[in-house]
């Protein structure tokens, strides 16, 4: 290919493919190399002095490299968007997109790493060995239940933030939107009845952050029904969640059983809820159908029975979009050189997002837009403060 010219591609003329030609990102130097003097400072011989300083005091990496502002976006391509297991090569356009979002909305540099393995041990060992090059690890599009073990074990082994965005980004934004929906409908977290359909990465994290925020009556469902200790087919992750959710209030059975009279429905399953089940919910219900592109409850149907409706789509109001959370969460964590991202930091991020809506709160505005310029700074400041309060800040 001649420099400066783009060879026509098989899908030329399609605006989506045209945008992706050559990828969506590049590396750019932050220093000018205009002559031998600059070259001798940026590279040999000058760079050797910086290397020696870091060798003597590894914490100097935080001052003299890009490491503290750079996150690795790690995937094995097993749960990419709604496409499922499409492999690491096909996952790269999504990971590039994620890196662009990190930079655009958080000022954080990111490197996509698509690993050619689905083995839990190999993924963990690979990330551990790569970790010295990064200030944080963002796990992405790794299928459940392996994603839970991978995240937990990486947290144990690394002293930098490890964050599975499919879990926690979704949970943070969902909590922010629900906080405002409860305020709008005059409900209280301690007494509200919530149904979470889907017990994968997002469903488990949503339920956990709701518990952290004070919600006590939660029923989480997988394809076999409510997670409860009456079942003998639960994985360890699901069994632990059952003890903290449905078991507390004695709920079990099917979706129809727990939706009757429920105040809130949060769908992260991709299934479809029949209208008669939706109609059985409490008056002025709250319905978040977050499957993309087809919500579990179509907004037109949801609005017949609910006061507040949210989706994961950009063409409807109240989009539950992870980009509201993860750039600011990492930015705040990096600002204080945090060793981890705690539950307190996630709840703080959700609270900051909810508070941005303020007096503009209404049925079609329970969460700010991703393009609201206040979002990154508000999340950043809240997360940094929470990191200090939780004792994980190193500066």
């Amino acid at each position: 290919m001649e420099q400066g010219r783009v060879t026509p591609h098989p899908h030329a003329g399609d605006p989506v493919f045209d945008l992706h030609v050559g990828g969506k990102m590049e590396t750019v130097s932050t220093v000018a190399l205009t002559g031998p003097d600059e070259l001798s400072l940026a590279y040999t011989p000058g760079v050797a002095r910086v290397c020696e300083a870091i060798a003597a005091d590894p914490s100097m990496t935080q001052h003299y490299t890009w490491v503290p502002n750079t996150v690795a976006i790690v995937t094995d391509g097993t749960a990419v968007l709604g496409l499922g297991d499409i492999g690491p090569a096909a996952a790269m356009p999504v990971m590039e997109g994620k890196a662009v979002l990190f930079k655009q909305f958080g000022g954080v540099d990111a490197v996509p790493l698509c690993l050619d393995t689905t083995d839990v041990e190999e993924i963990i060992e690979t990330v551990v060995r790569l970790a010295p090059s990064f200030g944080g690890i963002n796990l992405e599009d790794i299928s459940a239940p392996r994603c839970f073990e991978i995240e937990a074990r990486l947290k144990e082994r690394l002293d930098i933030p490890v964050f599975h965005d499919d879990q926690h980004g979704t949970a943070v934004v969902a909590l922010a939107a629900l906080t405002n929906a409860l305020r709008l409908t005059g409900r209280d977290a301690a007494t509200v009845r919530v149904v979470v359909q889907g017990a994968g990465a997002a469903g488990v994290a949503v339920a956990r952050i709701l518990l952290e925020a004070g919600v006590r009556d939660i029923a989480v469902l997988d394809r076999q029904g409510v997670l409860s200790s009456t079942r003998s087919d639960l994985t360890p992750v699901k069994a632990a969640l059952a003890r903290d959710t449905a078991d507390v209030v004695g709920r079990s059975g099917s979706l129809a059983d727990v939706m009757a009279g429920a105040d809130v429905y949060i769908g992260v399953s991709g299934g479809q809820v029949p209208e008669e089940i939706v109609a059985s919910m409490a008056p002025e219900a709250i319905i978040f159908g977050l499957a993309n592109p087809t919500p579990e409850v179509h907004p037109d149907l949801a609005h017949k029975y609910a006061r507040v409706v949210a989706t994961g789509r950009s063409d409807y109001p109240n989009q539950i979009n992870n980009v509201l959370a993860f750039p600011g969460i990492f930015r705040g964590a990096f600002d204080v050189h945090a060793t981890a991202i705690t539950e307190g930091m996630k709840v703080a991020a959700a609270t900051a997002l909810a508070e941005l809506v303020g007096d503009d709160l209404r049925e079609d505005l329970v969460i700010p837009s991703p393009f609201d310029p206040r979002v990154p700074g508000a999340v950043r400041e809240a997360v940094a403060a929470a990191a200090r309060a939780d004792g994980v800040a190193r500066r």
Side-chain angles (χ1 to χ4, degrees):
M1 184 173 69
E2 216 176 296
Q3 188 171 0
R5 296 185 58 188
V6 177
T7 303
H9 57 90
H11 298 279
D14 183 317
V16 172
F17 284 88
D18 287 348
L19 181 143
H20 283 78
V21 171
K24 299 190 291 289
M25 55 185 291
E26 64 180 356
T27 57
V28 177
S29 174
T30 61
V31 298
L33 298 180
T34 58
D37 290 342
E38 289 87 354
L39 183 61
S40 68
L41 293 173
Y43 200 55
T44 185
V47 73
R49 293 176 56 199
V50 181
C51 294
E52 289 172 337
I54 294 173
D57 180 1
S59 71
M60 291 295 100
T61 302
Q62 302 300 313
H63 298 281
Y64 299 119
T65 75
W66 82 331
V67 167
N69 194 58
T70 307
V71 61
I73 305 173
V74 178
T75 189
D76 63 358
T78 55
V80 180
L81 298 178
L83 305 174
D85 186 355
I86 60 175
M92 181 56 84
V94 177
M95 302 309 118
E96 286 185 0
K98 198 81 173 191
V100 171
L101 296 177
F102 264 113
K103 189 67 172 180
Q104 177 71 28
F105 294 103
V108 172
D109 294 309
V111 178
L113 298 174
C114 299
L115 305 185
D116 189 16
T117 178
T118 60
D119 182 82
V120 168
E121 299 300 331
E122 290 184 354
I123 292 172
I124 292 169
E125 292 304 321
T126 299
V127 174
V128 168
R129 283 162 174 72
L130 289 168
S133 296
F134 300 99
I137 306 296
N138 184 85
L139 301 174
E140 191 79 20
D141 293 348
I142 299 173
S143 63
R146 297 175 310 118
C147 60
F148 301 119
E149 180 180 359
I150 290 169
E151 183 188 37
R153 290 176 57 191
L154 285 173
K155 284 181 175 179
E156 291 174 357
R157 295 186 61 178
L158 300 177
D159 64 348
I160 57 176
V162 177
F163 186 82
H164 186 201
D165 186 52
D166 302 307
Q167 293 183 60
H168 309 300
T170 302
V172 165
V173 183
L175 173 59
L178 182 59
T179 298
N180 279 333
L182 294 179
R183 181 160 68 97
L184 188 66
T185 59
R187 291 179 167 99
D188 183 75
T191 56
V192 70
R193 274 191 59 200
V194 178
V195 173
V196 178
Q197 187 178 21
V204 171
V206 166
R208 287 292 177 194
I209 202 169
L210 293 185
L211 290 170
E212 191 74 20
V215 179
R216 291 293 169 260
D217 192 342
I218 307 173
V220 183
L221 296 95
D222 62 10
R223 291 184 179 87
Q224 284 68 49
V226 175
L227 305 186
S228 76
S229 294
T230 61
R231 289 173 50 182
S232 59
D233 61 338
L234 300 182
T235 65
V237 170
K238 291 181 179 181
L241 188 59
R243 289 191 293 272
D244 294 335
T245 55
D247 286 2
V248 174
V249 288
R251 302 200 185 280
S252 62
S254 67
L255 179 65
D257 293 326
V258 293
M259 280 284 273
D263 300 297
V264 179
Y265 168 83
I266 301 176
V268 281
S269 70
Q272 294 293 293
V273 182
E275 181 171 356
E276 61 269 22
I277 293 181
V278 178
S280 74
M281 295 182 70
E284 296 199 339
I286 298 164
I287 295 178
F288 293 179
L290 305 185
N292 241 329
T294 306
E296 292 86 352
V297 183
H298 191 278
D300 292 342
L301 172 60
H303 279 296
K304 290 175 62 176
Y305 304 101
R307 184 173 175 189
V308 180
V309 176
T311 72
R313 291 173 49 153
S314 59
D315 53 347
Y316 289 101
N318 297 328
Q319 184 191 18
I320 307 301
N321 191 329
N322 289 19
V323 76
L324 287 162
F326 69 82
I329 288 174
F330 270 94
R331 177 72 274 153
F334 283 176
D335 284 351
V336 297
H337 192 192
T339 58
I341 294 173
T342 65
E343 292 303 312
M345 293 160 74
K346 298 171 200 171
V347 172
T351 301
L353 285 171
E355 289 176 347
L356 285 178
V357 174
D359 294 337
D360 295 327
L361 178 64
R362 58 182 188 267
E363 284 79 358
D364 62 352
L365 184 58
V366 297
I367 194 76
S369 163
F371 294 100
D372 185 328
R374 301 172 300 164
V375 166
V379 174
R380 171 185 189 170
E381 292 175 9
V383 168
R388 293 189 178 99
D390 288 349
V392 296
R394 286 182 283 200
R395 66 181 177 204

